Every structure is written in structure tokens, then in C-alpha cells.
């Protein structure tokens, strides 16, 4: 099989399964960071207790493979790809996966881009999702690497 070396970014939204709590989220993050370091994936994962919004960046082959694995994970469901695009550079290049929990500050940024109250990543268009995630990243000083 021929694999492209293109750098891509994939952003998707999903709905958490009811059993995902704080410790489970920590497990997800630990596995993500370990695996992503090996496969050269970087990105950001947002969680508000109900929804996930995640950006994955890396080689097209690795991002595709990871996304397929993520959609088999029963800890979340109702996947919707918001953006899948070639990119020239990484936005979250320093983060094997950065976790951000949505608090009041992030909610305010979300409202600016979505025009809505109450975080629901499914209503974001691709541009707004990217700008929202970028602004959140600058804002947040980082929970983990
Ligand atoms: P295995 O752990 O053997 O998984 C086999 C299959 O079972 C996979 O499809 C997996 O998705 C699923 N699975 C694993 N654990 C559970 C569980 N506790 N409950 C239900 N299903 C499970 N992984 C990364 O490597 N990088 C990421 O950036 C990343 N982001 C994630 C974001 C979210 C919101 C979630 C929920 C998971 C994320 N994961 C991520 C975890 C990912 O879904 C896989 O569990 C992980 O990649 C290991 O999969 P595996 O096929 O190598 O091995």
C-alpha cells in the first residue's frame, strides 16, 4: 500500500458514554499521549462532561488509522467529522494530546464563535471550530503534555 506523507488535521465531535468520569478521562488521556508520541500525532481534546471535541494532526495514514480506532471506542458515540484538511504546519505541535475541560472561560469563547450558550461542538462550522480551538489553546496554560 502506498501511504501519503501529507500532514492533515481532523476535527470531530462526539457524545460521551454515560460511564465516562474523571478517572476514565485520565485513562483516555494517558493512552492517547503514549500512543500519539509513537505515531507523531498531536492535538487537543475538549470535554465538557457531555461532549468531546478533538483535533488530531499528523500524517494522513496515522490520523486515519487513529480516527478509525477512536470511532470503535464505546466510551463515546455519534461521531461527526467537522473538518478533515491538509495543513502546512501543526497548531498543537507541542502536545501529544492537550486536554482542556470546558469551564466558564472556555464557555465564553465558545459563545463568541457559535453564537450559542452551552457548549455543543456539533453546531460549529469548520472555520469556527478551528478558531475556537486555537483561541482556547492560547488561553489555557496547559494541563498535560
Ligand atoms: P485497545 O485498547 O486494544 O482497543 C481496542 C478497541 O477497543 C479500540 O477500538 C478502542 O477504541 C476500544 N476500547 C479501548 N478501551 C476501551 C474502553 N475502556 N471502553 C470501550 N472501548 C474501548 N487514543 C489514541 O491513541 N490517541 C488519541 O488521541 C485518542 N483520543 C481519544 C479520544 C476520546 C474522546 C476517546 C474516548 C478515546 C481516545 N483514544 C485515543 C483511545 C482510543 O479510542 C483507543 O482506546 C486507543 O487508541 C487504543 O486502541 P487500540 O486499538 O490500540 O487498543
Amino acid at each position: 500500500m502506498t501511504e501519503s506523507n501529507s500532514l492533515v488535521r481532523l476535527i470531530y465531535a462526539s457524545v460521551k458514554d454515560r460511564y465516562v468520569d474523571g478517572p476514565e478521562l485520565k485513562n483516555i488521556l494517558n493512552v492517547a499521549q503514549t500512543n500519539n508520541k509513537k505515531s507523531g500525532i498531536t492535538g487537543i481534546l475538549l470535554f465538557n462532561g457531555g461532549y468531546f471535541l478533538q483535533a488530531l494532526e499528523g500524517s494522513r495514514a496515522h490520523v486515519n488509522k487513529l480516527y478509525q480506532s477512536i470511532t470503535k471506542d464505546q466510551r463515546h458515540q455519534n461521531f461527526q467529522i467537522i473538518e478533515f484538511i491538509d495543513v502546512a504546519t501543526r497548531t498543537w505541535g507541542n502536545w501529544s494530546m492537550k486536554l482542556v475541560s470546558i469551564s466558564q472561560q472556555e464557555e465564553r469563547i465558545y459563545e463568541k464563535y457559535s453564537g450559542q450558550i452551552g457548549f455543543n461542538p456539533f453546531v460549529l462550522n469548520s472555520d469556527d471550530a478551528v478558531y475556537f480551538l486555537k483561541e482556547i489553546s492560547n488561553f489555557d496554560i496547559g494541563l498535560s503534555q
Side-chain angles (χ1 to χ4, degrees), residues 7-13 41-44 53-60 62-68 70-71 79-87 92 97 129-130 133:
L7 182 65
V8 301
R9 179 173 65 220
L10 187 152
I11 300 176
Y12 75 88
I41 302 260
T42 52
I44 182 168
L53 177 66
Q54 188 173 28
L56 304 168
E57 47 190 20
S59 76
R60 193 163 75 195
H62 281 127
V63 169
N64 265 287
K65 192 167 171 225
L66 175 58
Y67 181 68
Q68 285 165 39
I70 284 176
T71 56
F79 305 92
Q80 200 166 97
I81 293 176
I82 295 174
E83 182 196 65
F84 182 63
I85 190 172
D86 285 332
V87 288
W92 297 281
M97 191 49 59
V130 172
L133 287 170

Side-chain angles (χ1 to χ4, degrees), residues 12 14 25 43 49 58-59 67 70 74 91 114 116 132 136:
Y12 75 88
S14 64
L25 193 60
S59 76
Y67 181 68
I70 284 176
Q74 291 171 8
T91 300
S114 67
Q116 299 209 12
F132 167 61
I136 289 275

Side-chain angles (χ1 to χ4, degrees), residues 28 32 35-36 54 66 69-70 72-76 97:
I28 291 171
N35 290 347
N36 294 353
Q54 188 173 28
L66 175 58
S69 173
I70 284 176
K72 289 188 194 115
D73 194 318
Q74 291 171 8
R75 289 170 290 189
H76 57 163
M97 191 49 59

Side-chain angles (χ1 to χ4, degrees), residues 20 43 56 65 105 114 137 139:
V20 175
L56 304 168
K65 192 167 171 225
Q105 288 165 327
S114 67
S137 311
F139 191 92

Side-chain angles (χ1 to χ4, degrees), residues 83-137:
E83 182 196 65
F84 182 63
I85 190 172
D86 285 332
V87 288
T89 55
R90 293 175 189 254
T91 300
W92 297 281
N94 292 331
W95 296 89
S96 55
M97 191 49 59
K98 177 181 173 76
L99 176 67
V100 177
S101 296
I102 301 281
S103 66
Q104 281 184 343
Q105 288 165 327
E106 287 82 13
E107 282 276 2
R108 275 198 293 276
I109 299 172
Y110 169 78
E111 284 169 31
K112 187 169 86 182
Y113 290 104
S114 67
Q116 299 209 12
I117 295 170
F119 178 67
N120 174 359
F122 289 87
V123 306
L124 291 168
N125 66 36
S126 56
D127 281 349
D128 288 341
V130 172
Y131 290 129
F132 167 61
L133 287 170
K134 285 184 176 175
E135 187 166 342
I136 289 275
S137 311

